[in-house]
Amino acid sequence: MNFRFLLVFFCFVFWGNHYLFAQDSKKNVSQDTLKIDQDSIGKADEIEEIINYSAKDSIRFNVVKQIIYLYGSAKIKFGLTELAANYIEIDQFKNQVMAKGTMDTTTKKMIGDPVFTDKGTTYNAKVINYNFKTKKGIISGTSTKQGEGNIVSETVKRDLNGHLYARYNLYTTCDLPHPHFGIRSQKMKIIPGKLTASGPFFLEMGGVPTPLGFFFGLFPQPGGKASGFLMPQYGETRERGFFLANGGIYLAISNYVDARITGEMYSKGGYGFNIISNYKDRYKYDGNINFRYNVRENEVAGSVEKAIGKDFSFAWSHTPKGRGKGKFSANVNIATSNFNQRNAPDARSYLSSSLNSNIQYNTSFLGGKITLGTSLRHEQNIITKVASVLPSAELRITRITPFAKLSDKKNLLTSLNMSYTMSTSATITNVRQGTASFPFTVVGLSNVRDTIGFNLANINQLIENTRTGMTHNIPISTSARVLKFFDLSLSFNYKEVWYPENYSYQYLGRDGIIKTADGRDSTIRIQKDTVQVQKNKAFSRFNDYSVSASLTTRIYGTYYPKIGRIQAIRHIINPTISLSYRPDFGKSSYGFYENVQSKEFISAGGQYAPPQFVNTSYFQGIYGQPSTGESASMNIGITNTLEAKMKSKYDSIKKPEKITLLNFSLNTGYNFLAKEYKLSNISVSGNTTVGKFN
């Protein structure tokens, strides 16, 4: 009797294992494998490779007929061939396998239909019969993807070379279970990865045959990406009539870049095209570009001519993948104001009211001590038609300690540290700059705050609307231990702002002279109490600074009670006192503000009352104005913390746990320059921990 047969029978009877072991004369085969060696009578068609198989539900072995039955999510792997189905039979005498789905008793539907994979090509079918030795098979009700197309066949035969011979076929690029269109052919030969050849065929639309066809067809299917034509889709809309869409060409430009160019056309007028490109360089970056252009014709009630709307949208996404110093990223989304309303693919896009874009580049120098970041943002409101472009850049020098090496001891000089940040930005908008920021009636500037087209025709007005500036921030600080128990901290913050323009003011009264656009003086009668504001293009700057100091210490007190699991109670008192000062940069001595006359009153008796003046800054830029009002204040705070060290309730080896019983703080301040109410409100706060402790 065959030695293999005895071994299988022995394992099956005594161990009751659901998996089959086979042993070769030279090596052992692992679990879940089946190897069929040549038997004693020298059968020529035995399998010479290992079959790996498994099943989720159960595995049954018929010893007499040498058939293995796999139930529930069954899987077989034989070399480069894989097969999965809900039910599989393996006949080792005939070297054949049969796979099919099963009926779900609950839903009364077929589940687990076979999926056959051979050398990377996948076939979905109803029933599969395959011979391991000859590598031939018959597949019923199959659907396979070849390149950009799908082939749905009633019956497919596979030969030794992997070629497929199919009958009653439909070749289509539609991925739906019931394709809308395709090429119908009685016979086809498929060479996976190379081409598909068919006999006489005709075009079928929605299941209805058409007279369009030919005597034969050749459809190349090269491996990997390949250029080719894209079959259009058809349909109908109420507004635009019948259409053909998403038809065009696919270009496999290289292994890193591809492009898809498609178009659309409508029976009621209108057309468009779409360009989509994807690119990727592994470990460096990847991204995609999407450009759409659409022309739509709409009928206008009471008019013979149609309204023609031209719209476009541009989207670009770029994501860096590397770990280098410089990183560039982009997320761009721009479109004409009516694009979503006319061409939105879904309700969410139709209701979208804004478009935003952001392009960034960040890098570093000198081992990260200097960083540079740049960005270009775009904001567009589709409803109000307000659009803005916001470029910006920031240069940052990390904190440095220039005197750290003077001494090993920590003092105010060796701990002195400073940093530097330079920021610059601009706002380019299509909104005319109004006069709402001034506290008086203004002439000389436009009072109209409307929008203009964001295009080259209005480039001069867009430049005029542009607001830009630059800031420099230098924080300097130091700290040290003084008088043995106190921590002293000192800080000085300096800020400087640069603008390319400033403003000048002139009170005009009832009748005044106003400068016209050509620079001439013109005497006109104007509204009373009016100020002429003139924008002067010249380099301007202002600075702002403040100083502060703080002194703090900690006082500890510990009590050791003998209460339960409490080992110790510690009381921490943390008093803090700080002083800060900032000058009044609104004073005339700094030259940043001007007292501008804004009103002239007349009393009931006809006498002139003293005029009214408003302290107005020469600067109206994007980084604001110099701060006004002198400030000199002192802040006092005391924080109390009550902690307990408790032993573990169940584990004597475990370290004691520290529990915060109470946090209690008191804070107030004193303003030395206030005319009244110099003492600030006294605030009290506290919290505690309540819970189960182990």
Side-chain angles (χ1 to χ4, degrees):
M1 184 178 292
N2 192 309
F3 176 78
R4 176 187 49 77
F5 179 84
L6 291 176
L7 178 61
V8 173
F9 184 80
F10 183 81
C11 294
F12 180 80
V13 173
F14 289 91
W15 279 276
N17 200 330
H18 291 300
Y19 301 95
L20 184 62
F21 292 82
Q23 184 172 350
D24 188 78
S25 59
K26 295 182 179 180
K27 62 180 180 180
N28 293 328
V29 182
S30 61
Q31 188 177 5
D32 290 343
T33 62
L34 170 64
K35 180 166 182 176
I36 305 176
D37 298 330
Q38 189 172 6
D39 61 14
S40 58
I41 61 175
K43 194 171 182 179
D45 58 348
E46 290 290 356
I47 303 173
E48 297 178 355
E49 295 187 54
I50 296 175
I51 304 173
N52 297 282
Y53 65 91
S54 65
K56 185 176 181 180
D57 184 272
S58 61
I59 299 176
R60 185 167 61 88
F61 180 58
N62 189 321
V63 180
V64 177
K65 295 183 179 180
Q66 292 290 289
I67 300 177
I68 302 172
Y69 304 92
L70 310 178
Y71 299 92
S73 301
K75 295 182 180 180
I76 293 178
K77 186 174 182 181
F78 178 75
L80 298 178
T81 303
E82 296 182 9
L83 177 62
N86 214 43
Y87 173 75
I88 298 178
E89 289 184 9
I90 304 174
D91 191 331
Q92 60 184 15
F93 277 156
K94 297 181 180 179
N95 300 326
Q96 292 182 356
V97 62
M98 187 276 292
K100 65 179 182 178
T102 58
M103 178 71 72
D104 190 326
T105 57
T106 303
T107 62
K108 303 300 180 182
K109 295 182 179 180
M110 296 296 294
I111 60 173
D113 286 339
V115 179
F116 182 77
T117 304
D118 182 56
K119 298 179 181 179
T121 303
T122 301
Y123 308 90
N124 297 287
K126 298 298 182 182
V127 180
I128 291 180
N129 289 277
Y130 183 74
N131 189 293
F132 291 108
K133 187 66 178 179
T134 63
K135 297 185 179 180
K136 296 180 180 180
I138 299 178
I139 307 174
S140 301
T142 181
S143 173
T144 178
K145 189 173 184 64
Q146 298 292 330
E148 294 293 328
N150 297 313
I151 299 178
V152 181
S153 307
E154 182 177 310
T155 305
V156 176
K157 291 184 179 181
R158 184 184 187 278
D159 65 10
L160 180 62
N161 298 319
H163 300 169
L164 305 177
Y165 301 87
R167 295 187 63 186
Y168 307 111
N169 314 281
L170 180 67
Y171 180 84
T172 179
T173 57
C174 182
D175 295 326
L176 297 176
H178 300 285
H180 290 156
F181 56 87
I183 295 174
R184 178 71 67 180
S185 177
Q186 292 292 318
K187 296 181 180 180
M188 279 187 178
K189 180 178 179 179
I190 305 167
I191 303 178
K194 293 185 178 181
L195 61 85
T196 299
S198 76
F201 69 87
F202 57 86
L203 182 63
E204 184 179 287
M205 305 291 286
V208 179
T210 67
L212 302 176
F214 202 66
F215 298 105
F216 65 91
L218 290 176
F219 309 97
Q221 305 293 347
K225 296 193 299 184
S227 302
F229 293 97
L230 301 175
M231 184 73 70
Q233 298 177 353
Y234 74 95
E236 181 185 9
T237 63
R238 184 177 61 181
E239 297 85 1
R240 309 182 73 175
F242 294 96
F243 67 84
L244 286 176
N246 299 325
I249 59 173
Y250 173 81
L251 301 175
I253 300 173
S254 69
N255 292 332
Y256 306 99
V257 184
D258 68 357
R260 183 189 299 262
I261 304 175
T262 59
E264 57 187 55
M265 57 187 303
Y266 298 86
S267 61
K268 291 186 177 181
Y271 59 90
F273 66 88
N274 185 205
I275 301 176
I276 301 175
S277 178
N278 298 282
Y279 60 89
K280 182 174 184 179
D281 193 345
R282 185 176 295 182
Y283 309 123
K284 291 184 179 180
Y285 54 79
D286 61 31
N288 60 79
I289 297 173
N290 190 341
F291 176 77
R292 291 185 63 188
Y293 180 80
N294 196 286
V295 177
R296 181 166 182 172
E297 297 182 5
N298 293 325
E299 295 182 355
V300 181
S303 176
V304 179
E305 297 182 355
K306 294 183 178 181
I308 299 177
K310 299 180 180 180
D311 301 292
F312 78 90
S313 71
F314 177 77
W316 175 34
S317 176
H318 180 92
T319 304
K321 298 296 183 182
R323 298 183 179 180
K325 295 181 180 179
K327 289 189 176 182
F328 174 81
S329 63
N331 187 9
V332 178
N333 187 15
I334 59 177
T336 53
S337 58
N338 294 321
F339 182 86
N340 284 347
Q341 282 71 22
R342 294 173 178 168
N343 307 281
D346 50 50
R348 183 177 180 181
S349 300
Y350 181 85
L351 297 174
S352 177
S353 61
S354 62
L355 299 172
N356 298 279
S357 305
N358 191 13
I359 301 175
Q360 292 183 332
Y361 177 76
N362 300 286
T363 187
S364 60
F365 310 94
L366 300 178
K369 294 182 179 179
I370 300 177
T371 60
L372 174 64
T374 60
S375 68
L376 178 64
R377 294 187 297 116
H378 155 260
E379 299 175 355
Q380 180 180 354
N381 191 301
I382 297 175
I383 298 176
T384 62
K385 295 180 173 53
V386 174
S388 302
V389 178
L390 311 167
S392 64
E394 181 179 272
L395 177 68
R396 182 184 297 271
I397 300 177
T398 57
R399 194 172 296 274
I400 58 175
T401 53
F403 308 110
K405 296 183 179 180
L406 294 180
S407 175
D408 295 334
K409 295 183 179 180
K410 184 178 180 181
N411 52 50
L412 292 177
L413 183 60
T414 59
S415 299
L416 184 70
N417 61 84
M418 60 188 302
S419 63
Y420 170 76
T421 302
M422 183 277 293
S423 301
T424 180
S425 62
T427 301
I428 306 172
T429 178
N430 64 340
V431 179
R432 299 182 190 270
Q433 298 301 309
T435 59
S437 58
F438 296 97
F440 37 67
T441 304
V442 175
V443 296
L445 296 179
S446 172
N447 285 319
V448 181
R449 193 171 172 81
D450 60 349
T451 59
I452 60 177
F454 211 106
N455 49 49
L456 294 177
N458 297 318
I459 187 65
N460 293 331
Q461 184 63 50
L462 293 174
I463 294 175
E464 183 67 23
N465 290 344
T466 300
R467 305 177 69 186
T468 185
M470 179 180 292
T471 64
H472 307 267
N473 291 276
I474 305 176
I476 303 173
S477 62
T478 184
S479 62
R481 179 66 58 87
V482 295
L483 301 177
K484 194 176 180 178
F485 301 108
F486 295 91
D487 293 324
L488 175 64
S489 298
L490 304 174
S491 65
F492 173 78
N493 294 291
Y494 180 82
K495 174 184 176 182
E496 182 161 318
V497 178
W498 294 352
Y499 286 133
E501 76 281 329
N502 57 42
Y503 293 82
S504 59
Y505 312 97
Q506 180 183 1
Y507 179 72
L508 300 180
R510 294 170 178 255
D511 295 310
I513 299 176
I514 182 172
K515 289 187 177 296
T516 59
D518 57 3
R520 298 178 181 178
D521 294 343
S522 175
T523 303
I524 59 173
R525 184 168 183 82
I526 57 176
Q527 180 183 358
K528 75 171 186 176
D529 299 333
T530 304
V531 177
Q532 179 182 356
V533 179
Q534 184 169 343
K535 184 178 180 180
N536 308 305
K537 294 186 177 181
F539 174 77
S540 305
R541 56 163 294 278
F542 72 83
N543 63 293
D544 193 337
Y545 59 85
S546 63
V547 295
S548 63
S550 67
L551 189 68
T552 183
T553 188
R554 285 195 174 193
I555 303 172
Y556 296 89
T558 306
Y559 173 63
Y560 299 93
K562 296 181 179 180
I563 304 174
R565 295 185 291 118
I566 301 177
Q567 292 183 326
I569 295 177
R570 183 171 65 176
H571 182 201
I572 305 174
I573 304 175
N574 185 201
T576 301
I577 182 172
S578 63
L579 299 171
S580 63
Y581 174 77
R582 187 196 66 206
D584 180 9
F585 294 98
K587 291 182 178 180
S588 59
S589 58
Y590 288 98
F592 301 149
Y593 282 80
E594 177 185 353
N595 275 327
V596 180
Q597 182 177 348
S598 61
K599 287 186 179 181
E600 185 177 39
F601 296 100
I602 300 177
S603 64
Q607 300 296 324
Y608 285 93
Q612 181 176 343
F613 291 84
V614 178
N615 199 25
T616 308
S617 174
Y618 297 117
F619 310 98
Q620 304 290 335
I622 58 177
Y623 289 112
Q625 306 167 357
S627 57
T628 58
E630 188 177 14
S631 173
S633 61
M634 177 179 64
N635 294 305
I636 302 173
I638 299 177
T639 301
N640 293 268
T641 303
L642 201 62
E643 299 175 339
K645 183 184 290 186
M646 304 184 66
K647 295 188 298 183
S648 177
K649 184 176 181 180
Y650 304 105
D651 191 351
S652 59
I653 302 177
K654 186 178 179 180
K655 292 183 179 180
E657 183 180 3
K658 185 176 69 174
I659 304 298
T660 300
L661 300 177
L662 178 66
N663 275 321
F664 177 80
S665 62
L666 183 147
N667 295 277
T668 187
Y670 188 85
N671 190 341
F672 296 99
L673 301 179
K675 295 182 180 180
E676 56 182 354
Y677 305 112
K678 295 186 176 183
L679 183 65
S680 302
N681 294 333
I682 300 175
S683 63
V684 180
S685 63
N687 61 77
T688 184
T689 302
V690 179
K692 182 179 180 181
F693 308 124
N694 295 323

